[in-house]
Amino acid sequence: MNEAFRQGMAAVPHLAATGIAFESVDDGRAVMSLAYREDLVGFADSGVLAGGIIYTLMDTVSGAAVFAALKTYRPIATLDLRIDYLRPATPHQTVYGRAEVIKLTHHIAFVRGTADHGDPQDPIAHVTGTFALKGSAPTPPPAPEGPDAPGTETTHG
């Protein structure tokens, strides 16, 4: 499973652009890393990574955890991802994103995770999220049929 994830991630352009790297995936859990880069800093004088790149890391690793829980590919979409920043990332250190699926239904995956510098007991941020699974959107009612249905107007002459 790890090699399939590694190959899948290599095909995602924004992961290459941001430097988000695959570390591991196993049974509804995933770990990814983000090496420190100056171009990802929020404020040059602080050297701290921008919050948005941490959010991107956590959204990506949470989605990877969902894929790992599904065992087979199904399209997913982030419905909600709440992130609580507990402290700034330390300049010049790699950030690790860790996520796990805590509940999987037919339509929704519930995920939680943390961002840290290698020690999950000392988190930078905590996330909770929900992901829609293919087929979770309500099916629209069938279109009306017959001579009075919208779009079937006739011109009488």
Side-chain angles (χ1 to χ4, degrees):
M1 184 182 297
N2 281 324
E3 187 54 34
F5 269 83
R6 193 175 309 282
Q7 289 175 359
M9 286 188 55
V12 180
H14 88 270
L15 298 180
T18 58
I20 293 174
F22 170 82
E23 296 291 328
S24 66
V25 64
D26 180 35
D27 195 32
R29 292 186 170 95
V31 179
M32 295 183 177
S33 63
L34 175 66
Y36 182 88
R37 289 188 354 212
E38 294 288 334
D39 62 323
L40 302 177
V41 168
F43 297 99
D45 61 334
S46 72
V48 174
L49 290 174
I53 194 65
I54 304 293
Y55 186 94
T56 300
L57 170 66
M58 297 312 298
D59 185 39
T60 304
V61 74
S62 295
V66 173
F67 285 128
L70 292 173
K71 308 287 192 235
T72 59
Y73 176 78
R74 286 174 63 186
I76 66 171
T78 307
L79 291 175
D80 181 56
L81 189 70
R82 176 191 167 94
I83 186 164
D84 293 311
Y85 294 97
L86 306 175
R87 65 182 178 88
T90 304
H92 307 287
Q93 290 192 17
T94 297
V95 176
Y96 294 89
R98 304 169 198 278
E100 66 177 334
V101 174
I102 57 173
K103 183 169 179 65
L104 185 64
T105 72
H106 180 68
H107 301 294
I108 306 287
F110 299 85
V111 179
R112 67 179 168 205
T114 59
D116 60 69
H117 287 304
D119 179 2
Q121 300 304 312
D122 188 21
I124 296 164
H126 174 266
V127 298
T128 56
T130 53
F131 289 75
L133 310 178
K134 181 180 177 184
S136 65
T139 304
E145 296 179 11
D148 297 328
T152 59
E153 295 83 14
T154 58
T155 306
H156 298 285

